[in-house]
Amino acid sequence: MNRKRLLTRRRTLLLGMGAFTVAGGLRHLNNQFPEIVYEGKDAIGKKNFTVVGDIPLRERAASKGLIYGAASSYRALASNTDYATSFAKECAILVPEAQLKWDALRPSPNRFDFTRADWMAKFARTHGMLFRGHTLVWHKALPKWFAGTVNKRNAERILLEHIKTVVGHYAGKIHSWDVVNEAVFPEDGRSDGLRNSPWLQFLGAGYLDIAFRAAAEADPRALLVYNDFGLNYQYEEPKRAAVLKLLERLKSRGSPVQALGIQAHLWCDNSSKFNPKTLKKFLREIANMDLKILITELDVSDKNLPLDVSIRDRIVAAIYEDYLSAVLEEPAVIAVLTWGLSDRYTWLNETDSRKRLDRSLVRPLPLDTNLKRKLAWNAIARAFDQAPKRHSEQVKSE
Ligand code: XIL
Protein backbone atom coordinates (compact mmCIF):
# COMPACT_ATOMS: atom_id res chain seq x y z
CA MET A 1 0.00 0.00 0.00
CA ASN A 2 1.52 3.37 -0.93
CA ARG A 3 1.93 6.08 1.67
CA LYS A 4 -0.91 8.24 0.40
CA ARG A 5 -3.38 5.39 0.60
CA LEU A 6 -2.06 4.45 4.01
CA LEU A 7 -2.63 7.99 5.22
CA THR A 8 -6.17 8.09 3.94
CA ARG A 9 -6.80 4.90 5.87
CA ARG A 10 -5.30 6.22 9.04
CA ARG A 11 -7.71 6.53 11.94
CA THR A 12 -7.00 8.49 15.05
CA LEU A 13 -8.59 7.49 18.30
CA LEU A 14 -8.38 10.26 20.82
CA LEU A 15 -8.66 8.43 24.04
CA GLY A 16 -8.86 10.21 27.32
CA MET A 17 -5.73 12.18 27.94
CA GLY A 18 -3.77 11.00 24.97
CA ALA A 19 -4.18 10.37 21.31
CA PHE A 20 -4.05 6.78 20.20
CA THR A 21 -3.42 6.38 16.50
CA VAL A 22 -4.61 3.35 14.68
CA ALA A 23 -2.76 2.96 11.44
CA GLY A 24 -1.50 0.19 9.18
CA GLY A 25 -3.22 -3.08 9.98
CA LEU A 26 -6.56 -1.54 9.00
CA ARG A 27 -7.73 -3.53 6.07
CA HIS A 28 -11.37 -2.59 5.71
CA LEU A 29 -13.07 -3.48 2.49
CA ASN A 30 -14.03 0.13 2.09
CA ASN A 31 -13.25 3.36 3.77
CA GLN A 32 -16.25 3.64 6.05
CA PHE A 33 -14.80 4.28 9.48
CA PRO A 34 -15.10 7.80 10.78
CA GLU A 35 -12.60 9.10 13.25
CA ILE A 36 -13.83 7.71 16.55
CA VAL A 37 -13.17 9.66 19.69
CA TYR A 38 -13.61 7.80 22.92
CA GLU A 39 -13.06 9.99 25.92
CA GLY A 40 -12.99 7.34 28.58
CA LYS A 41 -11.95 8.32 32.04
CA ASP A 42 -8.59 6.61 31.56
CA ALA A 43 -6.36 6.87 28.55
CA ILE A 44 -7.02 3.66 26.72
CA GLY A 45 -3.42 2.94 25.86
CA LYS A 46 -2.44 3.05 29.53
CA LYS A 47 -5.32 1.20 31.10
CA ASN A 48 -4.26 -2.28 32.08
CA PHE A 49 -7.53 -4.01 33.05
CA THR A 50 -5.72 -6.14 35.59
CA VAL A 51 -7.93 -8.42 37.65
CA VAL A 52 -6.83 -10.21 40.78
CA GLY A 53 -7.65 -13.93 40.85
CA ASP A 54 -9.94 -15.90 38.54
CA ILE A 55 -13.13 -15.77 40.63
CA PRO A 56 -16.19 -15.84 38.31
CA LEU A 57 -18.36 -12.79 37.77
CA ARG A 58 -21.33 -14.19 39.70
CA GLU A 59 -19.24 -14.45 42.87
CA ARG A 60 -17.61 -11.06 42.46
CA ALA A 61 -21.07 -9.51 42.08
CA ALA A 62 -22.54 -11.53 44.95
CA SER A 63 -19.84 -10.36 47.34
CA LYS A 64 -21.19 -6.83 46.77
CA GLY A 65 -24.83 -7.85 47.13
CA LEU A 66 -25.27 -7.69 43.34
CA ILE A 67 -26.62 -10.23 40.89
CA TYR A 68 -24.74 -10.90 37.65
CA GLY A 69 -26.11 -12.99 34.82
CA ALA A 70 -26.88 -13.08 31.13
CA ALA A 71 -29.41 -13.82 28.42
CA SER A 72 -29.15 -17.01 26.44
CA SER A 73 -31.03 -18.78 23.72
CA TYR A 74 -32.32 -22.29 24.37
CA ARG A 75 -30.37 -23.66 21.43
CA ALA A 76 -26.98 -22.47 22.70
CA LEU A 77 -27.43 -23.90 26.19
CA ALA A 78 -28.97 -27.17 25.01
CA SER A 79 -26.47 -27.87 22.23
CA ASN A 80 -23.12 -26.69 23.57
CA THR A 81 -22.11 -28.24 26.88
CA ASP A 82 -18.93 -26.17 27.18
CA TYR A 83 -21.00 -23.04 26.82
CA ALA A 84 -23.54 -24.32 29.34
CA THR A 85 -20.69 -24.99 31.79
CA SER A 86 -19.26 -21.49 31.34
CA PHE A 87 -22.73 -20.03 31.72
CA ALA A 88 -23.36 -21.81 35.01
CA LYS A 89 -19.91 -20.81 36.25
CA GLU A 90 -20.19 -17.08 35.50
CA CYS A 91 -23.91 -16.37 35.92
CA ALA A 92 -26.23 -16.20 38.90
CA ILE A 93 -29.30 -15.39 36.81
CA LEU A 94 -30.54 -16.58 33.41
CA VAL A 95 -33.00 -14.77 31.16
CA PRO A 96 -34.25 -16.52 28.02
CA GLU A 97 -33.40 -14.38 25.00
CA ALA A 98 -36.52 -15.41 23.08
CA GLN A 99 -38.30 -18.33 24.72
CA LEU A 100 -40.70 -16.30 26.88
CA LYS A 101 -41.78 -13.94 24.12
CA TRP A 102 -45.28 -14.26 22.66
CA ASP A 103 -44.21 -15.81 19.35
CA ALA A 104 -42.23 -18.50 21.18
CA LEU A 105 -44.92 -19.38 23.73
CA ARG A 106 -48.05 -19.11 21.60
CA PRO A 107 -48.05 -21.17 18.41
CA SER A 108 -51.79 -20.56 18.06
CA PRO A 109 -54.37 -18.37 19.84
CA ASN A 110 -55.50 -21.19 22.12
CA ARG A 111 -52.26 -23.02 22.78
CA PHE A 112 -49.28 -22.27 25.03
CA ASP A 113 -46.04 -24.19 24.55
CA PHE A 114 -43.71 -23.96 27.55
CA THR A 115 -41.33 -26.76 26.47
CA ARG A 116 -38.23 -24.68 25.81
CA ALA A 117 -38.83 -22.08 28.49
CA ASP A 118 -39.37 -24.85 31.04
CA TRP A 119 -36.10 -26.50 29.98
CA MET A 120 -34.35 -23.19 30.64
CA ALA A 121 -36.07 -22.68 33.99
CA LYS A 122 -34.91 -26.16 34.99
CA PHE A 123 -31.37 -25.45 33.77
CA ALA A 124 -31.30 -22.36 35.97
CA ARG A 125 -32.64 -24.25 38.98
CA THR A 126 -30.21 -27.16 38.51
CA HIS A 127 -27.26 -24.76 38.51
CA GLY A 128 -28.39 -22.60 41.40
CA MET A 129 -29.29 -19.67 39.20
CA LEU A 130 -32.20 -17.27 39.43
CA PHE A 131 -34.58 -17.17 36.46
CA ARG A 132 -35.85 -13.97 34.88
CA GLY A 133 -38.82 -13.37 32.59
CA HIS A 134 -38.70 -11.36 29.35
CA THR A 135 -41.27 -10.17 28.30
CA LEU A 136 -45.07 -10.04 28.78
CA VAL A 137 -46.05 -6.98 26.75
CA TRP A 138 -44.07 -5.80 23.73
CA HIS A 139 -44.87 -4.51 20.26
CA LYS A 140 -42.40 -7.00 18.74
CA ALA A 141 -42.09 -10.81 18.66
CA LEU A 142 -45.84 -11.14 18.30
CA PRO A 143 -47.04 -14.37 16.67
CA LYS A 144 -48.26 -14.38 13.07
CA TRP A 145 -51.86 -14.91 14.16
CA PHE A 146 -51.82 -11.78 16.35
CA ALA A 147 -52.70 -9.19 13.72
CA GLY A 148 -55.69 -11.11 12.39
CA THR A 149 -57.02 -12.14 15.81
CA VAL A 150 -56.51 -9.39 18.38
CA ASN A 151 -58.67 -6.27 18.21
CA LYS A 152 -60.14 -3.56 20.43
CA ARG A 153 -62.92 -5.81 21.67
CA ASN A 154 -60.84 -8.80 22.76
CA ALA A 155 -57.40 -7.29 23.49
CA GLU A 156 -57.91 -6.93 27.25
CA ARG A 157 -59.19 -10.48 27.63
CA ILE A 158 -56.32 -11.92 25.55
CA LEU A 159 -53.69 -9.88 27.41
CA LEU A 160 -55.07 -10.85 30.82
CA GLU A 161 -55.24 -14.49 29.80
CA HIS A 162 -51.63 -14.36 28.58
CA ILE A 163 -50.30 -12.80 31.78
CA LYS A 164 -52.35 -15.05 34.06
CA THR A 165 -51.20 -18.19 32.24
CA VAL A 166 -47.53 -17.33 31.77
CA VAL A 167 -46.85 -15.58 35.08
CA GLY A 168 -48.95 -18.20 36.87
CA HIS A 169 -46.92 -20.98 35.24
CA TYR A 170 -43.69 -19.70 36.83
CA ALA A 171 -45.19 -18.23 40.00
CA GLY A 172 -42.78 -18.40 42.92
CA LYS A 173 -39.95 -19.52 40.62
CA ILE A 174 -39.05 -16.28 38.93
CA HIS A 175 -36.85 -13.47 40.17
CA SER A 176 -38.30 -10.68 38.04
CA TRP A 177 -40.56 -10.10 35.06
CA ASP A 178 -40.16 -7.51 32.33
CA VAL A 179 -43.88 -6.84 32.44
CA VAL A 180 -43.77 -4.17 29.74
CA ASN A 181 -40.94 -3.67 27.26
CA GLU A 182 -40.17 -0.53 25.23
CA ALA A 183 -43.48 1.31 25.72
CA VAL A 184 -41.92 4.78 25.52
CA PHE A 185 -41.00 6.25 22.15
CA PRO A 186 -41.08 10.07 22.06
CA GLU A 187 -40.47 9.93 18.29
CA ASP A 188 -44.11 8.83 17.86
CA GLY A 189 -45.06 12.38 18.85
CA ARG A 190 -47.62 11.74 21.60
CA SER A 191 -47.67 14.16 24.53
CA ASP A 192 -47.33 11.29 27.01
CA GLY A 193 -44.28 9.93 25.15
CA LEU A 194 -45.89 6.52 24.70
CA ARG A 195 -45.19 4.35 21.69
CA ASN A 196 -48.05 3.94 19.27
CA SER A 197 -47.98 0.15 19.74
CA PRO A 198 -50.81 -2.30 18.99
CA TRP A 199 -51.51 -2.48 22.73
CA LEU A 200 -51.88 1.29 22.94
CA GLN A 201 -54.13 1.33 19.90
CA PHE A 202 -56.36 -1.40 21.32
CA LEU A 203 -56.46 -0.43 24.98
CA GLY A 204 -55.17 3.14 25.35
CA ALA A 205 -52.49 4.19 27.86
CA GLY A 206 -54.15 2.08 30.56
CA TYR A 207 -52.70 -1.13 29.10
CA LEU A 208 -49.61 -0.75 31.25
CA ASP A 209 -51.71 -0.60 34.45
CA ILE A 210 -53.70 -3.62 33.32
CA ALA A 211 -50.49 -5.57 32.74
CA PHE A 212 -48.76 -4.67 36.01
CA ARG A 213 -51.85 -5.42 38.09
CA ALA A 214 -52.39 -8.78 36.39
CA ALA A 215 -48.74 -9.75 36.86
CA ALA A 216 -48.82 -8.84 40.57
CA GLU A 217 -51.93 -10.89 41.05
CA ALA A 218 -50.51 -13.93 39.26
CA ASP A 219 -47.19 -13.86 41.14
CA PRO A 220 -46.94 -11.55 44.15
CA ARG A 221 -43.29 -12.59 44.70
CA ALA A 222 -41.75 -11.64 41.37
CA LEU A 223 -40.14 -8.22 41.04
CA LEU A 224 -42.15 -6.34 38.39
CA VAL A 225 -40.03 -4.38 35.94
CA TYR A 226 -40.63 -1.75 33.28
CA ASN A 227 -37.83 -2.30 30.71
CA ASP A 228 -36.59 0.07 27.99
CA PHE A 229 -33.64 1.17 25.84
CA GLY A 230 -32.27 4.58 24.97
CA LEU A 231 -31.68 5.84 28.50
CA ASN A 232 -27.93 6.25 28.76
CA TYR A 233 -26.52 8.79 26.33
CA GLN A 234 -26.60 12.57 26.66
CA TYR A 235 -28.87 13.08 23.66
CA GLU A 236 -31.42 10.66 25.09
CA GLU A 237 -32.75 13.18 27.63
CA PRO A 238 -36.27 13.26 26.09
CA LYS A 239 -36.54 9.50 26.53
CA ARG A 240 -35.31 9.64 30.15
CA ALA A 241 -37.84 12.38 30.88
CA ALA A 242 -40.68 10.43 29.27
CA VAL A 243 -39.79 7.22 31.15
CA LEU A 244 -39.68 9.12 34.45
CA LYS A 245 -43.11 10.58 33.72
CA LEU A 246 -44.52 7.19 32.81
CA LEU A 247 -43.23 5.63 36.02
CA GLU A 248 -44.63 8.55 38.05
CA ARG A 249 -48.02 8.13 36.40
CA LEU A 250 -48.03 4.39 37.03
CA LYS A 251 -47.08 4.84 40.67
CA SER A 252 -49.63 7.60 41.23
CA ARG A 253 -52.34 5.27 39.92
CA GLY A 254 -51.19 2.55 42.30
CA SER A 255 -49.81 0.23 39.59
CA PRO A 256 -47.43 -2.29 41.14
CA VAL A 257 -44.32 -1.40 39.10
CA GLN A 258 -41.28 -2.11 41.27
CA ALA A 259 -38.20 -1.60 39.12
CA LEU A 260 -36.79 -0.02 35.99
CA GLY A 261 -34.84 -2.24 33.59
CA ILE A 262 -32.24 -0.35 31.57
CA GLN A 263 -31.30 -2.33 28.47
CA ALA A 264 -27.89 -0.66 27.89
CA HIS A 265 -27.02 -1.76 24.37
CA LEU A 266 -24.00 0.51 24.13
CA TRP A 267 -21.79 1.39 21.20
CA CYS A 268 -19.02 3.77 20.28
CA ASP A 269 -19.29 6.73 17.98
CA ASN A 270 -18.65 10.40 18.37
CA SER A 271 -22.20 11.48 19.07
CA SER A 272 -23.06 8.75 21.57
CA LYS A 273 -21.51 9.79 24.83
CA PHE A 274 -22.82 9.22 28.27
CA ASN A 275 -22.23 11.67 31.00
CA PRO A 276 -21.80 9.87 34.34
CA LYS A 277 -23.35 12.83 36.20
CA THR A 278 -26.48 12.92 34.04
CA LEU A 279 -26.84 9.18 34.24
CA LYS A 280 -26.41 9.04 38.01
CA LYS A 281 -28.91 11.86 38.48
CA PHE A 282 -31.45 9.89 36.45
CA LEU A 283 -30.80 6.74 38.49
CA ARG A 284 -31.22 8.72 41.72
CA GLU A 285 -34.57 10.05 40.49
CA ILE A 286 -35.70 6.49 39.80
CA ALA A 287 -34.46 5.33 43.20
CA ASN A 288 -36.27 8.23 44.89
CA MET A 289 -39.51 6.82 43.52
CA ASP A 290 -38.79 3.72 45.57
CA LEU A 291 -37.93 1.68 42.49
CA LYS A 292 -35.06 -0.77 42.06
CA ILE A 293 -32.90 -0.65 38.93
CA LEU A 294 -31.60 -3.53 36.83
CA ILE A 295 -29.17 -3.26 33.94
CA THR A 296 -30.91 -5.86 31.84
CA GLU A 297 -29.31 -6.16 28.39
CA LEU A 298 -25.78 -4.81 28.53
CA ASP A 299 -23.51 -5.26 25.52
CA VAL A 300 -21.08 -3.01 23.64
CA SER A 301 -21.23 -2.99 19.85
CA ASP A 302 -17.81 -2.80 18.20
CA LYS A 303 -19.25 -2.22 14.77
CA ASN A 304 -17.76 1.25 14.38
CA LEU A 305 -14.34 0.26 15.66
CA PRO A 306 -11.26 -0.72 13.68
CA LEU A 307 -10.62 -4.26 12.51
CA ASP A 308 -7.65 -4.78 14.86
CA VAL A 309 -9.02 -7.00 17.60
CA SER A 310 -6.67 -5.80 20.31
CA ILE A 311 -7.77 -2.19 19.80
CA ARG A 312 -11.42 -3.12 19.56
CA ASP A 313 -11.30 -5.20 22.71
CA ARG A 314 -9.65 -2.42 24.69
CA ILE A 315 -12.23 0.16 23.69
CA VAL A 316 -15.14 -2.20 24.35
CA ALA A 317 -13.64 -3.03 27.76
CA ALA A 318 -13.12 0.64 28.60
CA ILE A 319 -16.78 1.34 27.80
CA TYR A 320 -17.89 -1.53 30.03
CA GLU A 321 -15.79 -0.31 32.91
CA ASP A 322 -16.71 3.36 32.57
CA TYR A 323 -20.40 2.55 32.28
CA LEU A 324 -20.56 0.05 35.11
CA SER A 325 -18.42 2.07 37.48
CA ALA A 326 -20.88 4.95 37.04
CA VAL A 327 -24.13 3.01 37.40
CA LEU A 328 -22.96 0.77 40.25
CA GLU A 329 -22.42 3.84 42.41
CA GLU A 330 -26.21 3.99 42.66
CA PRO A 331 -27.26 1.58 45.45
CA ALA A 332 -30.68 0.98 43.86
CA VAL A 333 -28.93 -0.93 41.03
CA ILE A 334 -29.31 -4.54 42.16
CA ALA A 335 -28.45 -6.57 39.07
CA VAL A 336 -26.40 -6.51 35.87
CA LEU A 337 -27.19 -8.83 32.97
CA THR A 338 -25.29 -8.91 29.70
CA TRP A 339 -27.30 -9.73 26.58
CA GLY A 340 -25.43 -12.93 25.95
CA LEU A 341 -22.24 -14.23 27.51
CA SER A 342 -20.06 -15.32 24.59
CA ASP A 343 -19.40 -13.60 21.25
CA ARG A 344 -20.32 -16.93 19.70
CA TYR A 345 -23.97 -16.25 20.48
CA THR A 346 -24.67 -12.54 20.19
CA TRP A 347 -27.72 -11.00 18.59
CA LEU A 348 -25.40 -8.32 17.16
CA ASN A 349 -24.18 -10.82 14.59
CA GLU A 350 -27.76 -10.72 13.26
CA THR A 351 -28.59 -7.05 13.70
CA ASP A 352 -25.35 -5.06 13.91
CA SER A 353 -22.74 -7.17 12.21
CA ARG A 354 -19.63 -6.13 10.33
CA LYS A 355 -20.66 -8.21 7.32
CA ARG A 356 -20.75 -5.23 4.97
CA LEU A 357 -17.49 -3.84 6.32
CA ASP A 358 -14.78 -6.43 6.83
CA ARG A 359 -16.77 -9.60 7.56
CA SER A 360 -15.08 -10.07 10.91
CA LEU A 361 -17.25 -11.24 13.79
CA VAL A 362 -18.38 -8.73 16.38
CA ARG A 363 -16.91 -8.92 19.89
CA PRO A 364 -19.43 -7.27 22.25
CA LEU A 365 -19.51 -9.73 25.19
CA PRO A 366 -17.35 -10.90 28.13
CA LEU A 367 -16.25 -14.24 26.58
CA ASP A 368 -14.88 -14.78 23.08
CA THR A 369 -16.19 -17.35 20.59
CA ASN A 370 -14.01 -20.01 22.26
CA LEU A 371 -15.42 -19.10 25.68
CA LYS A 372 -12.19 -17.47 26.79
CA ARG A 373 -12.43 -14.42 29.03
CA LYS A 374 -11.73 -11.16 27.17
CA LEU A 375 -10.78 -7.71 28.40
CA ALA A 376 -14.51 -7.00 28.60
CA TRP A 377 -14.71 -9.74 31.23
CA ASN A 378 -11.85 -8.09 33.13
CA ALA A 379 -13.62 -4.74 32.92
CA ILE A 380 -16.83 -6.14 34.37
CA ALA A 381 -14.90 -7.99 37.09
CA ARG A 382 -13.07 -4.78 38.00
CA ALA A 383 -16.29 -2.80 38.14
CA PHE A 384 -17.83 -5.38 40.51
CA ASP A 385 -14.68 -5.49 42.65
CA GLN A 386 -14.77 -1.70 42.99
CA ALA A 387 -18.54 -1.35 43.47
CA PRO A 388 -19.87 -0.25 46.84
CA LYS A 389 -21.45 -3.07 48.80
CA ARG A 390 -25.26 -3.26 48.80
CA HIS A 391 -27.19 -3.97 51.96
CA SER A 392 -28.55 -7.47 51.54
CA GLU A 393 -32.19 -6.49 52.11
CA GLN A 394 -32.02 -4.38 48.95
CA VAL A 395 -31.52 -7.41 46.76
CA LYS A 396 -34.67 -9.28 45.98
CA SER A 397 -33.99 -13.00 45.97
CA GLU A 398 -36.08 -16.07 46.46
C1 XIL B 1 -33.47 -9.80 20.49
C2 XIL B 1 -32.80 -11.16 20.47
O1 XIL B 1 -31.56 -11.10 21.06
C3 XIL B 1 -32.69 -11.62 19.03
O2 XIL B 1 -32.14 -12.93 18.97
C4 XIL B 1 -34.04 -11.56 18.36
O3 XIL B 1 -33.91 -11.89 17.01
C5 XIL B 1 -34.65 -10.19 18.48
O4 XIL B 1 -34.71 -9.82 19.85
N1 XIL B 1 -34.27 -5.51 23.15
C6 XIL B 1 -34.98 -6.53 23.75
C7 XIL B 1 -34.68 -7.94 23.39
O5 XIL B 1 -35.77 -6.27 24.64
O6 XIL B 1 -35.81 -8.77 23.47
C8 XIL B 1 -34.06 -8.05 22.02
O7 XIL B 1 -33.68 -9.41 21.82
C9 XIL B 1 -32.90 -7.10 21.88
C10 XIL B 1 -33.34 -5.67 22.05
Side-chain angles (χ1 to χ4, degrees):
M1 193 185 295
N2 66 36
R3 185 165 162 73
K4 198 167 162 223
R5 277 190 68 198
L6 181 71
L7 282 175
T8 60
R9 289 182 173 222
R10 180 166 286 190
R11 301 290 176 272
T12 303
L13 299 179
L14 282 175
L15 298 157
M17 292 134 62
F20 192 87
T21 304
V22 185
L26 283 186
R27 249 168 258 120
H28 302 301
L29 293 181
N30 40 39
N31 209 8
Q32 293 184 22
F33 286 91
E35 182 181 276
I36 301 288
V37 179
Y38 180 63
E39 292 157 346
K41 74 178 182 319
D42 293 283
I44 196 124
K46 294 183 189 158
K47 211 169 160 82
N48 64 21
F49 298 107
T50 304
V51 172
V52 181
D54 66 352
I55 300 168
L57 295 179
R58 64 181 284 170
E59 287 167 42
R60 289 175 195 267
S63 74
K64 298 300 174 69
L66 279 160
I67 304 168
Y68 170 74
S72 179
S73 68
Y74 159 81
R75 195 186 297 272
L77 281 180
S79 66
N80 183 340
T81 49
D82 290 339
Y83 170 72
T85 304
S86 292
F87 202 99
K89 181 173 161 192
E90 301 284 0
C91 296
I93 188 164
L94 163 65
V95 58
E97 194 171 337
Q99 291 70 24
L100 287 167
K101 292 173 181 171
W102 275 64
D103 57 356
L105 285 178
R106 306 200 59 173
S108 63
N110 301 318
R111 204 163 75 81
F112 287 82
D113 182 354
F114 288 103
T115 318
R116 291 186 167 190
D118 282 356
W119 187 95
M120 296 182 87
K122 192 169 169 216
F123 180 87
R125 202 163 54 245
T126 309
H127 294 94
M129 277 184 257
L130 300 168
F131 192 53
R132 190 172 140 63
H134 173 83
T135 177
L136 298 168
V137 187
W138 195 24
H139 61 287
K140 287 189 178 164
L142 293 167
K144 286 205 182 70
W145 54 261
F146 188 90
T149 308
V150 184
N151 54 46
K152 279 192 178 186
R153 275 174 294 111
N154 63 18
E156 181 164 354
R157 179 180 59 74
I158 292 176
L159 180 61
L160 288 172
E161 180 196 46
H162 182 84
I163 293 176
K164 196 174 170 197
T165 308
V166 177
V167 177
H169 187 82
Y170 295 105
K173 297 179 187 156
I174 210 137
H175 167 267
S176 48
W177 265 112
D178 287 339
V179 178
V180 181
N181 197 31
E182 303 180 353
V184 171
F185 197 60
E187 289 86 336
D188 276 351
R190 289 173 53 97
S191 60
D192 59 8
L194 288 181
R195 181 189 293 276
N196 189 19
S197 78
W199 295 113
L200 185 102
Q201 288 164 18
F202 294 147
L203 298 171
Y207 82 87
L208 290 108
D209 304 82
I210 295 174
F212 276 100
R213 285 181 205 279
E217 201 175 308
D219 185 357
R221 289 168 65 188
L223 186 75
L224 303 184
V225 181
Y226 173 72
N227 195 52
D228 214 330
F229 67 90
L231 298 168
N232 296 298
Y233 293 117
Q234 264 314 83
Y235 72 87
E236 292 169 325
E237 191 53 38
K239 177 98 177 216
R240 280 189 289 274
V243 165
L244 270 171
K245 277 204 192 121
L246 167 66
L247 293 170
E248 272 161 19
R249 281 199 306 274
L250 288 171
K251 289 222 93 172
S252 72
R253 295 195 292 245
S255 277
V257 57
Q258 295 161 333
L260 172 66
I262 297 180
Q263 292 188 7
H265 296 290
L266 306 179
W267 66 92
C268 188
D269 66 31
N270 292 340
S271 55
S272 304
K273 299 201 173 92
F274 76 89
N275 176 329
K277 266 197 195 146
T278 311
L279 191 54
K280 282 189 270 185
K281 182 172 159 273
F282 173 64
L283 300 181
R284 200 79 288 271
E285 284 169 324
I286 299 291
N288 286 340
M289 295 168 67
D290 204 20
L291 295 168
K292 299 287 177 227
I293 300 162
L294 294 84
I295 308 302
T296 50
E297 303 185 15
L298 180 58
D299 56 13
V300 181
S301 168
D302 61 347
K303 188 181 168 186
N304 295 327
L305 299 177
L307 177 61
D308 186 322
V309 164
S310 63
I311 294 165
R312 251 199 268 170
D313 281 4
R314 292 186 78 79
I315 296 174
V316 166
I319 294 172
Y320 267 108
E321 193 169 338
D322 286 351
Y323 181 73
L324 284 177
S325 57
V327 298
L328 292 178
E329 273 179 39
E330 170 51 60
V333 175
I334 59 164
V336 174
L337 289 98
T338 46
W339 199 244
L341 179 66
S342 152
D343 294 338
R344 191 177 186 113
Y345 306 111
T346 164
W347 75 305
L348 295 177
N349 270 328
E350 305 155 30
T351 56
D352 211 15
S353 79
R354 300 172 67 102
K355 275 178 204 130
R356 297 229 199 106
L357 300 169
D358 51 33
R359 296 201 194 101
S360 84
L361 294 174
V362 293
R363 303 175 61 85
L365 290 168
L367 306 185
D368 72 11
T369 51
N370 296 315
L371 306 171
K372 279 189 64 183
R373 291 168 173 174
K374 293 160 53 198
L375 287 187
W377 184 95
N378 291 39
I380 300 171
R382 284 163 62 93
F384 289 155
D385 291 352
Q386 279 151 33
K389 199 167 164 48
R390 270 75 183 145
H391 302 298
S392 52
E393 68 271 14
Q394 287 182 322
V395 180
K396 172 143 181 164
S397 59
E398 290 188 83

